[in-house]
Amino acid sequence: MKKILFFLLFCAFSGFAQNTDSLQIRKIYDEILTNGECYKTLTYLCKTIGPRLSGSTGAAKAVQYTKKVMEDYGFEKVFLQEVMVPHWVRGAKEEAYIENGKVKTKVPIVALGGSVATPAIGIKAEVIEVKTFEELKALGEAKVKGKIVLFNRPMDPTKINTFEAYAGAVGQRGNGASEAAKYGAVGAIVRSMTTLQDNNPHTGGMRYAPGIPMIPTAAISTNGANLLSKLLKENPKLKFYFKQNCQTLDDAPSHNVVGEIRGTEKPDEIIVVGGHLDSWDLAEGAQDDGSGCVQAIEVLRAMKALGIKPKRTIRAVMYMNEENGLRGGTKYADLAKQNNEKHIAAIESDNGGFTPRGFGMVGTNEQIAKVTVYKNLLAPYGLAEIGRGSGGADIGPLGNLGTLLIGFKPDSQRYFDFHHAQNDKLDAVNERELQLGAASMAALVYLIDKYGL
Amino acid sequence: MKKILFFLLFCAFSGFAQNTDSLQIRKIYDEILTNGECYKTLTYLCKTIGPRLSGSTGAAKAVQYTKKVMEDYGFEKVFLQEVMVPHWVRGAKEEAYIENGKVKTKVPIVALGGSVATPAIGIKAEVIEVKTFEELKALGEAKVKGKIVLFNRPMDPTKINTFEAYAGAVGQRGNGASEAAKYGAVGAIVRSMTTLQDNNPHTGGMRYAPGIPMIPTAAISTNGANLLSKLLKENPKLKFYFKQNCQTLDDAPSHNVVGEIRGTEKPDEIIVVGGHLDSWDLAEGAQDDGSGCVQAIEVLRAMKALGIKPKRTIRAVMYMNEENGLRGGTKYADLAKQNNEKHIAAIESDNGGFTPRGFGMVGTNEQIAKVTVYKNLLAPYGLAEIGRGSGGADIGPLGNLGTLLIGFKPDSQRYFDFHHAQNDKLDAVNERELQLGAASMAALVYLIDKYGL
């Protein structure tokens, strides 16, 4: 049955239309590869504004800046959606060392977003290393109480898609502290989420489970984790010291930023293309997710530059607070529901501004088949992987409204070299790769707009 | 007919075999992604040895080093093939400036490989800018004589595969000097072969046509070319000065380096995997083509580590002198012919150590069909582009012996950011990307060895 549906769709969509469309798609790529401005916008976002953690002045400046960029491009409607966001601050730089007998060795750590601080004098305790929560449970209170737990399961390097490796390890970061605290641990140190062996600690969000003591938690660089693990094998009684000064302030007002080109035939059907404007505080958020934001703006810029008048309404959305709360994405979907807006598709770019490989989708078989049919048109641009997959965190809440969720899928090999770490800076992004991603999304928006879903 | 052939091949190759093969390919990727040593070898090649232009001490050291690496891995036979190579040296750093009235502005140039020097006092002359040889011809001796020709056609940024953009522009570098000299030019300055707008000049090979005066020629950075072009529009009488100190010495002895695992069933059928060991003199030759060399060695290392005993003989070949003569590739094929060796396939990696996209082939339809049939086995690793394409310069001469030529095809977006320029250093290579390329070639070698051609 599915095959028949696909065949019918394929027949319906052929010949003349294919040819017109392939010419238009070629024009979209030409425009963006020749006159693209997304790298320029990203440069400002990274170099003039910098880090944009929710609630920070950087985030507020980024809201005003991207709003102005879209106004200057003459998008028909540019507006903000107010949203209250968590406001966590890191405070003074963290300190940590391994105390092995009389030898103290400093190691690089960063507090995880949402963590509580240590006491002002820090925490020093013995360390117990685990790779899984099952292992932790088996050790139980007898072996864990009063200690710092080192969660040291690496990202699996054999996964070709590094996001699968991330998914297989990130539970330690998100839930490690509460899991450790269940058995009386006093702190939780998590191996950084990267396949590199280096000295960069990678931060990221964590959540405390209700009713369990909130213990401080930090990420340690992979080299630091390896060293600690090695020394622990020689001396299980060694101690680990860390001090961090972070705190969660009151929720702060912030905004999603939305730019719109109104549809000429079906303005009530909306297609979203977006990324998230907030970043972690350690770097410039160039890959995560300045890239997605500037690509979304570029999609609309290019359509305007090419004189494409969409049938449906196209929106570029810069979501706020993906990293530690998802408040912007939730708010956007709440407002869409409240205003009876019909979002037919939402595309998110939040896997980095690397060379395009395809799109992953979350939706009904029918919705997905209607996009998969464009495979031949997109294949010349390296977009070979089009099918069921994952959408994106910010657009996720729109799924409840029946919107087809589409995740832009770039090459994933380098992403976790920078992700949430101090080296996620402009120079981590290649201009052509960034442009190709924007063009890929613009091509898909063009097709979905033209043929509907 | 072709379709029927393909169908029959596909039927022959299915079920149990597919499953065994997919498990073995998975093991190859796991081995290289977990225990891979190619990045370590590349690190030595780049950081301890450095530039490896034909005839240089760096090239000689690289020959000895890669020979030793393969001997230490215990490959059954490791040997050198002597070959005489051109020996061009750059001499003291080049100088260049634009003299616009009383203002002198320095611009970055590098002599092209094979160029003659300027007179010791340099050359200063008016400049005529062209984008094509046709334009040059139309201007003729009247407009060109006594001047320096600026060849300023950029690489076309709208080509998705940057190698196509390169092919569309590189004629200016290879033949520009002789074309200009035909009309009496005294020098030729060529826009660097890169899509970046920056201050890095990119060198590369050039050839003098017989019977035409040999005038000095250099590459100018793209920013330099843009500036010169802009100033020329304001003042066509401005002058350009350049001085370079290069020379061609006598041919020097050098070597191809070959490592071999002998086949257990058909040792006389040879499969080659290779890259070229020589590089330009400006940097470490990390992407071009240290990557290809260390990947070739890694293919054999991984087969040995996994206990794969190939039916056919597998060779890792490090060719000498791809950049300015192709003497190594030519010599290798000459010896193959002389020794009546049967090379069934040769794979070359000389497009950088980036994320794999596929393989391009040069051969008969039947040969190509026999490899295309492996598409489904390779697709899970991102190798979507498998079909007719281009092989590689070094393996090219084997084509005359009926060998199927296979070019490893990595993502091409970043290659010309570094190509032949001073930033082609180790940090231009990502370890996982490099490993994935090696694993892709190892998988293909495994399949071709098992099923033949």
Side-chain angles (χ1 to χ4, degrees), chain A residues 26 29-30 33-34 157-160 162 195 355-357 380-382 384 411 413-414 417 430 432-433 436, chain B residues 26 29-30 33-34 157-160 162 195 355-357 380-382 384-385 411 413-414 417 430 432-433 436:
Chain A
R26 186 65 256 185
Y29 276 88
D30 287 355
L33 287 168
T34 310
T158 70
K159 299 287 185 196
I160 304 301
T162 59
T195 52
T355 299
R357 306 293 303 228
Y381 302 94
D411 188 82
Q413 298 311 319
R414 286 174 286 148
D417 295 1
N430 176 279
R432 273 185 69 84
E433 294 184 354
L436 284 170
Chain B
R26 184 65 256 185
Y29 276 87
D30 287 355
L33 287 168
T34 310
T158 70
K159 300 287 187 197
I160 305 300
T162 59
T195 52
T355 299
R357 306 293 303 227
Y381 303 93
E385 300 167 22
D411 188 83
Q413 299 310 320
R414 287 174 285 146
D417 295 2
N430 176 279
R432 272 185 69 84
E433 294 184 355
L436 284 170

Side-chain angles (χ1 to χ4, degrees), chain A residues 157-210:
Chain A
T158 70
K159 299 287 185 196
I160 304 301
N161 184 329
T162 59
F163 284 88
E164 286 180 31
Y166 180 63
V170 74
Q172 301 173 100
R173 189 191 78 201
N175 308 316
S178 287
E179 288 298 318
K182 278 185 192 169
Y183 307 103
V186 295
I189 299 294
V190 183
R191 181 185 185 88
S192 282
M193 299 293 133
T194 178
T195 52
L196 287 183
Q197 309 300 315
D198 69 9
N199 297 315
N200 272 332
H202 295 233
T203 191
M206 58 78 57
R207 291 161 300 282
Y208 289 113

Side-chain angles (χ1 to χ4, degrees), chain A residues 145-164:
Chain A
K145 194 168 181 180
K147 291 184 185 159
I148 292 168
V149 175
L150 168 65
F151 290 98
N152 199 19
R153 182 167 81 259
M155 277 173 61
D156 180 353
T158 70
K159 299 287 185 196
I160 304 301
N161 184 329
T162 59
F163 284 88
E164 286 180 31

Side-chain angles (χ1 to χ4, degrees), chain B residues 188-200:
Chain B
I189 299 292
V190 183
R191 182 186 184 88
S192 283
M193 299 293 134
T194 177
T195 52
L196 287 184
Q197 310 300 315
D198 68 9
N199 297 316
N200 272 333

Side-chain angles (χ1 to χ4, degrees), chain B residues 30-49:
Chain B
D30 287 355
E31 165 62 26
I32 293 177
L33 287 168
T34 310
N35 304 317
E37 299 194 352
C38 46
Y39 192 78
K40 194 182 78 180
T41 312
L42 185 64
T43 303
Y44 190 95
L45 213 49
C46 290
K47 294 301 174 192
T48 305
I49 296 179

